[in-house]
Amino acid sequence: MKTLAGGIAVLLSMASLSFGELRAGSQTLSLSAGWGFSGSEFDHDIAGNANKHEKISNPGGAFGAQYVYFLRTGPTIGVGVDVLRSALKEHFADSLSTQYNFRTRFQPTAVLAMAKIAFGQGRIHPYLFGGIGFHRTSFYWDFQPKGGTAWWDTSTQDNRRIVEGTGTGFAGAGGGGIDIFLTPSLFIGAEGRGTYLGTATYPIT
């Protein structure tokens, strides 16, 4: 079994529908899209460790949705649900090991119960938010021998998927941004967030 923990940072632009102004009793529904990257690195007990540091996924797209119900005004505080999918891209590592090249990718979906604090009045509302929940993450890890290394059963150097599966673990996120109302019921904005992905286990194939 392969165990992995990590984090995601995401920059988002948001287009949302607000059912009324931001005050107690109002609601917002947001759809978001942006770009994310991971700080997770390879384990350093791998075969032929070359004492290098490399990420396990390359940056990729991120998209999600968020619903918030506001409980009070001044500052405006709301609670809700946030879902974010990070479509990170495959990373190829050819210098991490003296015996193998690696291809890896992990793509998490985080589902959070969250709270949001919005400030300001009128058209512009800076905000902070945080949440906790769980992540469901797909992960694979391919090995390909190089140099004088070969697979023991075939004496070849073909690429093989050693770890592949889906794992679940704790997730937490926090960040901030700004909402700009174009009309009383429509706003756009930008957001930056960091997401912690708790340890999850993935099966060896």
Side-chain angles (χ1 to χ4, degrees):
M1 308 291 281
K2 172 63 181 174
T3 299
L4 180 70
I8 299 291
V10 179
L11 298 176
L12 299 172
S13 61
M14 310 180 74
S16 310
L17 179 63
S18 171
F19 302 103
E21 299 177 357
L22 290 183
R23 61 177 182 270
S26 66
Q27 306 169 66
T28 60
L29 177 63
S30 307
L31 301 177
S32 58
W35 196 250
F37 60 91
S38 171
S40 300
E41 296 184 342
F42 281 93
D43 292 340
H44 290 280
D45 58 353
I46 60 175
N49 179 15
N51 295 316
K52 300 288 183 68
H53 291 265
E54 288 204 41
K55 301 294 188 291
I56 64 172
S57 279
N58 289 336
F63 54 92
Q66 182 183 98
Y67 168 79
V68 180
Y69 179 85
F70 289 94
L71 302 173
R72 58 162 294 174
T73 306
T76 307
I77 300 176
V79 295
V81 178
D82 182 275
V83 180
L84 181 69
R85 171 71 172 174
S86 298
L88 302 176
K89 297 180 180 180
E90 181 182 271
H91 179 73
F92 176 67
D94 60 357
S95 63
L96 193 66
S97 168
T98 59
Q99 299 177 17
Y100 296 93
N101 293 328
F102 303 113
R103 288 180 173 84
T104 53
R105 188 189 71 185
F106 85 118
Q107 295 188 332
T109 299
V111 180
L112 308 174
M114 51 85 67
K116 179 176 181 178
I117 304 176
F119 306 94
Q121 297 179 347
R123 298 168 60 91
I124 300 176
H125 293 268
Y127 65 86
L128 299 172
F129 82 95
I132 58 173
F134 69 92
H135 72 91
R136 184 76 171 164
T137 300
S138 61
F139 174 69
Y140 67 72
W141 188 352
D142 294 350
F143 283 55
Q144 184 174 25
K146 64 181 179 180
T149 304
W151 295 116
W152 64 273
D153 56 341
T154 61
S155 299
T156 61
Q157 293 185 320
D158 53 300
N159 186 76
R160 296 187 183 183
R161 186 150 295 176
I162 304 300
V163 178
E164 183 176 27
T166 303
T168 301
F170 171 83
I178 187 169
D179 294 329
I180 303 173
F181 280 79
L182 304 178
T183 72
S185 61
L186 181 67
F187 64 87
I188 60 173
E191 178 181 289
R193 67 167 63 190
T195 301
Y196 170 77
L197 305 175
T199 299
T201 301
Y202 306 89
I204 297 175
T205 58

